[in-house]
């Protein structure tokens, strides 16, 4: 989470599944909805795996807070 000069907060999140919004339920304090999980449509070939690794490496250079999938940051530091 980063506070930018205009006072807003920027938050980086990582999704673990793809979803599709089925229905918007509310938006009083925050958005609420019903969602459907959507399976990945691509096949895992060596080329796709290499592209994924490349994107993860590039993202790691851009974001100092990024971690590989499955790792967590120790919050006690």
């Amino acid at each position: 989470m980063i506070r930018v000069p205009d006072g807003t907060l920027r938050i980086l999140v990582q999704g673990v599944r793809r979803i599709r919004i089925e229905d918007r339920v509310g938006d009083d304090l925050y958005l609420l909805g019903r969602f459907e999980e959507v399976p990945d449509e691509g096949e895992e070939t060596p080329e796709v795996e290499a592209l994924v690794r490349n994107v993860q490496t590039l993202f790691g250079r851009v974001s100092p807070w990024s971690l590989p999938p499955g790792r967590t940051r120790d919050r006690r530091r």
Side-chain angles (χ1 to χ4, degrees):
M1 185 165 53
I2 302 170
R3 186 171 299 279
V4 292
D6 69 0
T8 59
L9 291 174
R10 299 288 173 127
I11 300 172
L12 176 67
V13 297
Q14 177 182 356
V16 293
R17 292 188 179 98
R18 293 180 184 272
I19 60 171
R20 176 180 301 123
I21 299 174
E22 288 186 335
D23 186 27
R24 189 170 173 169
V25 178
D27 59 4
D28 290 336
L29 298 175
Y30 42 84
L31 296 176
L32 296 173
R34 267 195 271 313
F35 303 91
E36 169 188 17
E37 187 173 337
V38 179
D40 285 336
E41 295 181 3
E43 52 183 281
E44 292 192 24
T45 64
E47 181 182 10
V48 170
E49 290 176 16
L51 289 169
V52 167
R53 281 192 305 275
N54 192 21
V55 168
Q56 289 172 337
T57 299
L58 291 171
F59 183 76
R61 291 180 189 167
V62 172
S63 174
W65 302 295
S66 65
L67 292 173
R71 300 228 7 234
T72 59
R73 189 169 305 284
D74 185 352
R75 301 275 183 213
R76 294 175 288 182
R77 292 184 200 171

